[in-house]
Amino acid sequence: MELKLDLSREYGLVLEGGGAKGAYQIGAWKALREEGVNIKGVAGVSVGSLNGALICMDDLERAEEIWKNIEYSHVMSVNDETIKALKEKDFKSLNLQELISGGLQIVKDGGFDITPLKNLIEEVVGDEEKLRNSDRELYTVTYSVSDRKEVAEDIIKSDAGSIKDMLLASAYFLAFKNEKLGGKRYMDGGGVNNVPINVLLDHGYEDIIVIRIYGLGFDKERVTEIPEGIRVYHIAPRQDLGGILEFDKKQTRKNMTLGYFDAKRFLYGLCGRIYYIDAPNTEPYYFDKMMSEVELFKIYMQDTLNEEGMAALTGYRAFTEKLFPRLAVEFKLKEDWDYKDMYLGLLEDLAKRLKVKRFRIYTVDQLMEEIRKKLRSLDKVKPPQQEI
């Protein structure tokens, strides 16, 4: 595989806000870190600010530990078992009186008590000097309700003792109990700028990697003019990462894995919508492979075509003029799809049906071999034919 990113350059990271979806960012950072991508600084909002602090301190071990073991009670003063029962609609195990009482208290307080989040931030940046001594820059975006304006704070150069407050200010989600910080009230920065690419542009960054998690808020990147000569790259999920308040370790572990492999896709230009496929050759190569393996695909096509349709699959034209256009619609390929797209679409669809392991980087030959293994295992478990 060939790395597609120039490692001699310095990069800025933009970390979007999105609550529990933030685990994806740590997985992506892990992949960037492994490949030696030189991160000069981070601009983050909400959870992106907290992850940005971990990145600036280069504390991958701590970041993974937090996200692998996250619970609702690590962010809000709630009972994890109660939240789990509500999610699973297991109303029998709920103490309704306690639930109503707790709900009324939340309303009275003006939102969820986030003392656990404060404690988590204290853990992460308890030693401010480690963050201040970082050779990376960190900018956190929030909205000052008191001043009625967006604030982009340079965390490394901020006043002594203010770092924890500014990280918390950036994460003041509307459902959280809001308290004054330094005599002012703040609101989650995502409401005014959830993708703060402008902050890095304002500080002279020329190479920027945006890690998207599609949280709630205003996507300022859409209205930000990118100057000529600035290189902007994106790492983004192709599936739902769950809810912004879904602090469930099973989901966050999955999101970290997804972020890691999506970053690998970006770094190496991997193909595939579901799988991660190293496919560097041109269209004619994959057309020849597809037609040489047509008997295997016919096994798969039995579920798609009737007996008459299967019988009609003779000669290249039957495939190119009839079957492939039909499959292109089924696979939702782009309008200008080519035979490389079709071959990879067939491979992925068959691999998905056979439940081939997804999180691994494959060559096309390796993925085909896994498909053949699955088919062979299915043949072995077929019931013996009864004699008549």
Side-chain angles (χ1 to χ4, degrees):
M1 296 190 303
E2 181 184 349
L3 195 66
K4 304 299 182 182
L5 202 66
D6 184 354
L7 295 184
S8 68
R9 304 188 71 85
E10 292 181 324
Y11 294 86
L13 278 186
V14 175
L15 301 181
E16 182 180 2
K21 300 182 181 189
Y24 181 90
Q25 297 169 343
I26 296 302
W29 170 48
K30 181 179 181 179
L32 297 174
R33 188 175 183 266
E34 283 180 354
E35 300 301 337
V37 176
N38 185 4
I39 298 172
K40 179 185 176 184
V42 181
V45 178
S46 193
V47 71
S49 294
L50 183 58
N51 283 337
L54 290 160
I55 290 170
C56 288
M57 292 188 291
D58 200 34
D59 201 343
L60 176 61
E61 184 178 348
R62 182 71 181 112
E64 288 186 312
E65 180 187 346
I66 289 171
W67 284 109
K68 282 181 178 178
N69 299 291
I70 198 76
E71 299 278 5
Y72 292 91
S73 59
H74 294 174
V75 179
M76 304 169 283
S77 292
V78 296
N79 184 295
D80 289 315
E81 293 305 314
T82 299
I83 298 294
K84 182 179 178 182
L86 286 170
K87 279 182 63 182
E88 297 175 355
K89 298 180 180 178
D90 179 15
F91 300 118
K92 290 182 180 180
S93 65
L94 291 170
N95 183 326
L96 292 180
Q97 185 59 44
E98 183 180 314
L99 187 63
I100 292 169
S101 176
L104 291 173
Q105 187 62 48
I106 291 169
V107 172
K108 182 180 177 181
D109 291 341
F112 287 98
D113 178 3
I114 54 169
T115 299
L117 176 59
K118 295 176 186 177
N119 294 337
L120 180 60
I121 292 174
E122 175 69 36
E123 274 186 60
V124 171
V125 291
D127 181 7
E128 283 194 3
E129 288 308 304
K130 184 176 181 180
L131 186 53
R132 291 188 188 282
N133 291 332
S134 172
D135 56 1
R136 293 169 176 160
E137 298 172 330
L138 176 60
Y139 303 96
T140 182
V141 174
T142 184
Y143 179 78
S144 173
V145 177
S146 300
D147 298 324
R148 297 182 182 179
K149 67 177 184 178
E150 177 183 335
V151 177
E153 184 78 10
D154 183 338
I155 289 293
I156 307 300
K157 296 179 181 178
S158 61
D159 294 338
S162 68
I163 289 180
K164 293 184 284 292
D165 280 354
M166 293 314 299
L167 292 175
L168 182 60
S170 182
Y172 255 140
F173 186 60
L174 288 175
F176 295 162
K177 180 181 176 181
N178 192 292
E179 298 173 342
K180 285 187 176 182
L181 299 170
K184 295 184 179 182
R185 291 196 184 277
Y186 294 90
M187 186 177 73
D188 190 304
V192 293
N193 187 0
N194 208 33
V195 189
I197 190 171
N198 62 302
V199 175
L200 293 186
L201 291 173
D202 290 345
H203 285 85
Y205 282 75
E206 297 180 350
D207 294 85
I208 299 172
I209 300 171
V210 182
I211 302 180
R212 297 303 308 266
I213 54 176
Y214 303 116
L216 296 176
F218 177 57
D219 183 354
K220 201 164 188 175
E221 184 183 13
R222 290 186 178 182
V223 297
T224 299
E225 184 177 346
I226 307 300
E228 188 176 347
I230 301 298
R231 290 161 291 274
V232 179
Y233 311 90
H234 292 84
I235 300 171
R238 299 180 182 183
Q239 68 181 63
D240 184 24
L241 299 179
I244 59 174
L245 293 179
E246 194 172 349
F247 293 100
D248 176 83
K249 59 187 175 186
K250 183 178 179 181
Q251 181 68 46
T252 55
R253 290 181 184 197
K254 180 180 178 182
N255 288 347
M256 268 200 294
T257 301
L258 189 65
Y260 177 84
F261 279 94
D262 283 353
K264 290 287 188 181
R265 188 200 302 279
F266 156 72
L267 288 164
Y268 287 100
L270 301 177
C271 298
R273 292 184 173 190
I274 303 170
Y275 290 84
Y276 301 86
I277 308 170
D278 180 26
N281 295 306
T282 57
E283 181 184 14
Y285 174 83
Y286 296 104
F287 180 80
D288 289 342
K289 281 189 71 65
M290 183 161 53
M291 300 315 295
S292 69
E293 293 160 350
V294 71
E295 292 303 319
L296 176 65
F297 288 124
K298 276 186 176 181
I299 297 172
Y300 148 74
M301 291 167 195
Q302 288 173 355
D303 295 335
T304 306
L305 300 176
N306 57 29
E307 190 173 333
E308 183 180 347
M310 289 293 294
L313 288 179
T314 55
Y316 279 11
R317 290 185 64 182
F319 287 91
T320 59
E321 295 179 9
K322 295 181 180 180
L323 181 65
F324 291 159
R326 177 177 168 179
L327 290 176
V329 174
E330 187 176 322
F331 295 158
K332 298 180 180 178
L333 300 182
K334 55 189 178 184
E335 288 187 12
D336 59 341
W337 63 270
D338 60 23
Y339 291 118
K340 179 177 179 178
D341 297 325
M342 178 56 61
Y343 179 64
L344 295 176
L346 284 163
L347 271 183
E348 286 200 283
D349 196 75
L350 188 49
K352 183 181 177 182
R353 289 176 181 232
L354 294 168
K355 298 182 179 178
V356 172
K357 182 179 178 181
R358 178 186 178 190
F359 291 115
R360 173 185 158 189
I361 297 174
Y362 295 94
T363 63
V364 290
D365 291 332
Q366 287 170 339
L367 186 54
M368 178 57 77
E369 180 53 33
E370 292 301 313
I371 288 169
R372 291 184 185 277
K373 285 180 184 178
K374 289 285 187 178
L375 289 171
R376 288 195 293 268
S377 68
L378 288 176
D379 285 338
K380 288 178 183 178
V381 298
K382 282 182 180 178
Q385 295 289 330
Q386 292 184 351
E387 294 184 8
I388 299 176

